[in-house]
Amino acid sequence: MFNQTYRTLFIALIVFLGFTVTSCVNDLDTTPIDNDVVTSETVYETPEDYRQVLAKLYAGFATTGQQGPAGDADIQGIDEGFSSYLRQYFTHQVNPTDLAVIGWGDEGLPSFNTISWTASNNFVMGMYSRIYYQIALANEFIRNAEGREEAVIQEYVAEARFIRALNYWHALDLFGGNIPFVTEENEVGSQPPQATNANDLFNFIESELLVIEGNLSAPGQNEYGRADRAAVWMLLSKLYLNAEVYIGQDRYDDVITYTEQINNSGAYTLHDNYEELFLADNHLSDGIIFPITFDGINTTGYGGTTFIAHAAVGGNMNASDFGLDGGWGGYRVPPQFVDLFMDDYTGFQTPNPDGDKILYVPGGYQGASGYSGDWSPLDAGTLVSDENNGVYTGYVYFADGAEFKFTEGDWGSQEYSNNDGSMVSGGGGNFSVEEGGFYYMVIDTNNLTYSIEKQINPNDSREMFFTDGQTKEVADISDFSNGYTVTKWKNITRSGEAGSDLTFVDIDFPMFRLADSYLMYAEATARGASGGNTSTAVTLINELRERAYGNSSANISGSDLTPELVLQERARELYWEGHRRTDLIRFGQFTSSEYVWAWKGGVQEGTGVSDIYSIYPIPASDVNSNPNLEQNPGY
């Protein structure tokens, strides 16, 4: 990892709305007499100087200014904490989807719950400015490396070009192709930037990545936190996966090419514990290809994973359980996302690999819950006695208002019923649950005792919701108790110790990880890519599911593989990691009325919105100041 000098030097000031980087003196060809004056000539001298400036480029994804946590911001006109690249990216990619609602009333923020922002939205301006700030710094770096032949500097230049390509991909994905385009070839500050278009920008990003691919370290061979060839392959795969959205071209064959290179490189393996990917020491985890690194001592700020972790804690949650000094009571999830952990498991049967004794759960719920034949014991959900001792445990999926009994076989065998809340042997009343969902049961037929507890999912370790004191429905966005909260991000190490600081967290953000590559391969295959192999795609998804379940009970077969299945699997595997908006747009579900979630379109039950919201507006202030720009349609 880079040594922590992210804020020790920088000449960068954004003069023309994020497009111009200037030095502290007028003539960059003149070394100043005053040794305290910093110019490009003095900053870019030795390879170590370039390394330190490159550290600033990487740090731009994590930090917000020249000192932490606040006080000398990179971006003006917005609260410094809000201006964090990753915080803005999370707001734009996660908040307006079925993965999140936020109860804060900061000006412009509630419109991300309802997909109703305008061109004057401060948060839209913050994301746009942060992207172009990063591009300006990368251009300055590349410009100053011109003529330097040292191999190490050329590798640094390749990394700077990767960072710029990543920023331009974010710009294309968020704002479309009608955006300013500047490179190191443009004279600094001379004229307002010209606009590009989607095709040209797509081609630029692609060509940059293909050119630099061979100049970067082999997969897994660079320092942690720096880009290698696998990061390039990931970005190419994402560009190609969304090519139909960006430029109307099917590039799924190219997705197969580059995800295969990642998956078969041998440099990355699927980490065996999902939870550990999001802890304070997740730098120890396998499968993270390109992280945004954070450190509670050296990268302090109110954005990044500090924001993600704190904003999800409130209500009855104990902040110390998350390695935090307090919660900010902001983010919860709409009920539709909770349901994604349930929809695939109607008709669920408790695994019984050893052929142990079974207790059947027949009832009137069966037909509505994915089991055939109401009150048909042999078609019902089942519980298993692992010790064959009369104590049965397991899961059954119930529809609302389910009534049921327990039997040891078909009707006529031993049955167990409900007598005023007590379990009795033989006939009697029915057991019941009012609210549908997954239920975990422990039935002791020896002592005639039972427990029935609602679960969100029977086994999927990726389901990380806090429900105590929280309602599933979100009737009032401003009330933190409305909606389950996410417990995925914890400032706790895998040994249970708190991070280095309770305010500013140590959790790295996995911008790219191996599971995403698996799922991109599977989706491209399901969409008909000629190079895709269905058997391989199924194996990759089953690897993710076996890690999640600890067994093969939720595995799929080739006939199950569809693009829609992969979309749902992406939601369960990659939620709150900055992918969902792009995924929903690719599937035509972001603005559509065919798939809605709570508060989409400004109503609790959700409704479709205008297709203009598939991209964000160019900030009005930039359109007004740059005659070369045209506003995105509809804004």
Side-chain angles (χ1 to χ4, degrees), residues 35 99 134 210 252 259 261 279 300 310 357 365 402 439 485 539 595:
N35 292 328
L99 302 189
Q134 286 285 98
L210 294 175
Y252 297 118
T259 54
Q261 289 183 202
L279 297 181
T300 57
H310 280 277
K357 291 183 66 175
Y365 69 90
Y439 283 80
T485 62
T539 297
Y595 176 55

Side-chain angles (χ1 to χ4, degrees), residues 234 238 241 255-256 259 263 270 462 513-527 537 540-542 544-545 547 556 561-563 565-575 579 583 586-587:
M234 281 293 291
K238 290 193 162 293
L241 186 67
V255 176
I256 297 297
T259 54
N263 301 343
L270 197 67
R462 300 170 299 186
R513 60 186 180 92
L514 183 63
D516 190 4
S517 181
Y518 281 12
L519 290 165
M520 287 193 288
Y521 180 97
E523 182 180 332
T525 299
R527 289 181 180 273
L540 294 175
I541 287 182
N542 286 342
L544 299 179
R545 290 194 169 196
R547 176 180 66 181
I556 68 168
L561 184 67
T562 64
L565 179 140
V566 179
L567 175 65
Q568 293 183 0
E569 198 67 23
R570 287 185 66 84
R572 289 186 286 266
E573 176 70 28
L574 301 170
Y575 67 97
H579 305 282
D583 290 345
R586 188 170 64 256
F587 279 80

Side-chain angles (χ1 to χ4, degrees), residues 43-92:
V43 168
Y44 295 98
E45 288 187 314
T46 69
E48 181 60 22
D49 293 335
Y50 280 88
R51 175 183 168 84
Q52 297 304 323
V53 179
L54 183 64
K56 170 63 182 180
L57 299 188
Y58 281 107
F61 292 111
T63 60
T64 56
Q66 308 307 308
Q67 65 183 39
D72 190 7
D74 293 329
I75 306 296
Q76 303 301 316
I78 187 172
D79 176 89
E80 184 172 343
F82 282 131
S83 77
S84 155
Y85 196 111
L86 187 54
R87 182 166 177 171
Q88 284 290 340
Y89 194 63
F90 188 95
T91 298
H92 286 70

Side-chain angles (χ1 to χ4, degrees), residues 307-576:
F307 156 71
I308 298 172
H310 280 277
V313 173
N316 293 339
M317 303 170 80
N318 186 345
S320 63
D321 292 341
F322 298 85
L324 305 174
D325 56 5
W328 297 353
Y331 276 112
R332 293 93 66 210
V333 298
Q336 289 76 14
F337 176 55
V338 178
D339 290 343
L340 284 178
F341 280 94
M342 301 166 66
D343 286 350
D344 274 0
Y345 308 109
T346 54
F348 180 85
Q349 293 288 358
T350 301
N352 186 17
D354 298 324
D356 295 320
K357 291 183 66 175
I358 288 174
L359 190 68
Y360 297 91
V361 191
Y365 69 90
Q366 289 178 227
S369 304
Y371 307 90
S372 60
D374 286 353
W375 293 106
S376 175
L378 301 185
D379 296 318
T382 56
L383 311 177
V384 174
S385 179
D386 290 331
E387 302 296 330
N388 293 308
N389 61 356
V391 178
Y392 298 85
T393 61
Y395 299 87
V396 176
Y397 183 80
F398 291 125
D400 288 341
E403 295 191 3
F404 51 92
K405 295 179 184 291
F406 303 103
T407 69
E408 293 184 359
D410 210 343
W411 295 119
S413 67
Q414 178 65 51
E415 68 180 82
Y416 303 91
S417 305
N418 180 19
N419 183 11
D420 294 329
S422 297
M423 181 173 168
V424 296
S425 177
N430 298 329
F431 299 92
S432 65
V433 297
E434 180 178 348
E435 186 178 19
F438 275 111
Y439 283 80
Y440 176 70
M441 292 183 278
V442 180
I443 309 300
D444 185 342
T445 60
N446 304 309
N447 297 306
L448 297 179
T449 61
Y450 69 95
S451 68
I452 303 174
E453 297 180 356
K454 186 177 182 185
Q455 310 286 310
I456 295 205
N457 184 284
N459 289 305
D460 194 334
S461 63
R462 300 170 299 186
E463 174 269 298
M464 298 179 181
F465 298 128
F466 185 89
T467 62
D468 181 25
Q470 305 293 128
T471 63
K472 180 183 174 185
E473 302 300 319
V474 183
D476 181 355
I477 295 178
S478 65
D479 184 346
F480 186 78
S481 69
N482 281 216
Y484 294 165
T485 62
V486 169
T487 61
K488 181 171 175 173
W489 303 87
K490 298 185 181 77
N491 190 35
I492 299 285
T493 67
R494 59 192 61 183
S495 63
E497 299 177 357
S500 61
D501 188 272
L502 299 183
T503 299
F504 308 111
V505 307
D506 293 336
I507 314 166
D508 297 337
F509 184 86
M511 180 75 75
F512 296 150
R513 60 186 180 92
L514 183 63
D516 190 4
S517 181
Y518 281 12
L519 290 165
M520 287 193 288
Y521 180 97
E523 182 180 332
T525 299
R527 289 181 180 273
S530 60
N533 181 281
T534 298
S535 177
T536 299
V538 167
T539 297
L540 294 175
I541 287 182
N542 286 342
E543 283 189 37
L544 299 179
R545 290 194 169 196
E546 288 173 13
R547 176 180 66 181
Y549 284 80
N551 55 51
S552 60
S553 62
N555 281 14
I556 68 168
S557 63
S559 61
D560 298 316
L561 184 67
T562 64
E564 184 67 29
L565 179 140
V566 179
L567 175 65
Q568 293 183 0
E569 198 67 23
R570 287 185 66 84
R572 289 186 286 266
E573 176 70 28
L574 301 170
Y575 67 97
W576 281 33

